[in-house]
Amino acid sequence: MFDSTALLPSNNWPYTEILTRLALGLVLGLLIGLERERRGKEAGLRTFGFVGLLGTVGGALGPAYGLAAIGFTALLAVVLNVSSLRSGQGTELTTSAAMGVTVMAGIMCGLGHTISPAAVMVIAAALLAWKERLAGFSMGISEGEIRSALLLAILAIVIYPALPEGAVGPWNLIEPRAAWVTVILIAGIGFFNYVLWKIYGTRGAELSSFFGGLINSNFTVIGLAQRVREVGEPFVGVAYRGVLLATAAMLARNATLLLLLAPIALAGAFTAFALMLGVSGALLLWSLRQRPAGGVPPQIELELPFSLPQALKYGAIFLLLHVVGGLTQRQFGDLGFYFVSVIGGLLSSASAVAAAAALATQGSISPATAGTGAVLASFTSIAFSLVFVWGTHRPALMRGLALAMLAIGVAGIAGVLASHWAEPWVVQLLQAVEQQRRP
């Protein structure tokens, strides 16, 4: 006699585990259903709760039942669209897509995943909730902006993978991919700056300067200098604060790298980084206070998100510096770690700081030498950024930033001297803390 129960799954789950999976699937379904309910859709809170549970049960029972859950959800979507068309309200494509995403997330919950389905559903809820904002943003995109976005994608996705890996040339001094990353970063930071400016106005340019400084402060300064040449005087104040924010972000990033990679090396540089960050913050606050209270923000018109010729030009400059730095290091060997740190700061202060931390961890150099090298690399990056500001031909901006960077540099030198004086006590304290942490 045929036993129909043999077709059913016979898995035994721990009660707490399966209950947790069902609860997560239900909550994620309700998250989407709440948004749909607030918009007055026919498929709302309860429907999406059931779809989330359905997917979770299907994923837990096995592949066949997961496919059945997907099929049943597709049938629900068909019925929903037919009902909507009959009532003259048009199709419910967005709600149908949301139901499909919900059942798939439920299946992931049934399989035991937690973070992944939660992330998917949060993104889906954001897409539904930001309907008006996304629609307004898309309607405001010009043809030139679309071309710039496609060009940036070609630079990163098409050209970069086609370049040869590693160093090439007779002396292995040229790294095509590393040079092209420079072009991508300059173009990408410019594009990010443009998007934030379009959303938030001049505040967006200042915000993007800080985030750009976390990646590469010199590239961020290049973008700001380019905007000054395009816009003129209205952008000078924004550029001044943007350069200070990029510098502060660079200093914070370098200090954090030392803390993570070689904490004991930070003993010889902590005071320097703290004083430089303090001076940067004070100058930024002073600039903000100088703005007229209740004044009308400057009218700034940016034509394109970024300039490819400018990105290629500065990419060639950084490639040249890379080659010169490599030749110099080969010629002089290990003549001085500080000299190498200065050269490294021209290319990437983050790389120079990471290299210093690695050498200190290996015992090749003392922690104090590594900390001082990190500060020197930061000094070089600060001084190098002024070269790009010089090309704006704005005396007030050049004079203001030169004085600001001089003040930051003096604070750093004072910090280095103070750190060397207090280094023995700080090292003992760090060693004591490290011993307490060991089991």
Side-chain angles (χ1 to χ4, degrees), residues 220-245:
T220 304
V221 174
I222 289 171
L224 292 170
Q226 177 185 339
R227 296 306 185 193
V228 171
R229 288 192 294 269
E230 292 176 356
V231 178
E233 195 64 30
F235 201 78
V236 168
V238 177
Y240 176 84
R241 289 184 290 274
V243 173
L244 286 178
L245 283 168

Side-chain angles (χ1 to χ4, degrees), residues 274-293:
L275 287 177
M276 288 191 290
L277 282 170
V279 172
S280 300
L283 290 170
L284 181 62
L285 291 175
W286 179 82
S287 176
L288 290 173
R289 291 176 65 102
Q290 295 299 358
R291 290 191 303 184

Side-chain angles (χ1 to χ4, degrees), residues 78-352:
V78 171
V79 173
L80 174 65
N81 280 277
V82 170
S83 175
S84 180
L85 287 171
R86 285 183 175 178
S87 62
Q89 297 179 358
T91 58
E92 290 284 353
L93 296 180
T94 302
T95 302
S96 301
M99 292 173 67
V101 173
T102 302
V103 72
M104 292 298 293
I107 291 174
M108 294 176 68
C109 293
L111 293 173
H113 299 279
T114 54
I115 300 299
S116 300
V120 169
M121 295 304 282
V122 168
I123 293 172
L127 290 174
L128 292 172
W130 295 343
K131 172 185 176 182
E132 291 78 9
R133 182 172 295 182
L134 291 173
F137 182 79
S138 62
M139 292 300 293
I141 296 178
S142 66
E143 184 178 349
E145 292 166 353
I146 294 177
R147 287 199 303 268
S148 296
L150 292 175
L151 181 58
L152 182 59
I154 291 172
L155 294 177
I157 300 175
V158 178
I159 299 179
Y160 176 78
L163 296 174
E165 297 184 14
V168 298
W171 297 289
N172 292 328
L173 291 173
I174 299 177
E175 295 186 17
R177 288 200 171 190
W180 199 250
V181 165
T182 300
V183 176
I184 295 173
L185 280 175
I186 293 175
I189 291 174
F191 195 92
F192 182 63
N193 181 297
Y194 182 89
V195 171
L196 287 181
W197 163 81
K198 193 164 185 177
I199 297 175
Y200 299 107
T202 56
R203 290 182 302 164
E206 296 170 0
L207 182 64
S208 67
S209 298
F210 179 80
F211 289 116
L214 294 175
I215 302 172
N216 192 301
S217 59
N218 286 328
F219 295 164
T220 304
V221 174
I222 289 171
L224 292 170
Q226 177 185 339
R227 296 306 185 193
V228 171
R229 288 192 294 269
E230 292 176 356
V231 178
E233 195 64 30
F235 201 78
V236 168
V238 177
Y240 176 84
R241 289 184 290 274
V243 173
L244 286 178
L245 283 168
T247 301
M250 178 269 295
L251 293 171
R253 178 202 63 198
N254 291 350
T256 303
L257 283 174
L258 273 185
L259 177 63
L260 296 177
L261 300 177
I264 198 170
L266 189 59
F270 176 79
T271 306
F273 280 114
L275 287 177
M276 288 191 290
L277 282 170
V279 172
S280 300
L283 290 170
L284 181 62
L285 291 175
W286 179 82
S287 176
L288 290 173
R289 291 176 65 102
Q290 295 299 358
R291 290 191 303 184
V296 179
Q299 296 297 321
I300 299 174
E301 295 294 336
L302 304 181
E303 296 180 0
L304 291 175
F306 66 92
S307 171
L308 181 59
Q310 289 288 338
L312 291 173
K313 182 179 74 173
Y314 287 116
I317 292 174
F318 276 89
L319 176 61
L320 177 62
L321 288 172
H322 181 79
V323 173
V324 172
L327 287 174
T328 304
Q329 186 174 7
R330 292 191 179 195
Q331 182 68 26
F332 295 99
D334 296 330
L335 182 62
F337 169 74
Y338 294 146
F339 178 74
V340 176
S341 296
V342 170
I343 296 297
L346 291 174
L347 306 174
S348 171
S349 61
S351 300

Side-chain angles (χ1 to χ4, degrees), residues 39-63:
R39 291 187 179 271
K41 301 297 182 180
E42 185 175 348
L45 199 61
R46 292 183 301 168
T47 302
F48 276 90
F50 280 124
V51 171
L53 283 175
L54 177 66
T56 305
V57 173
L61 291 176

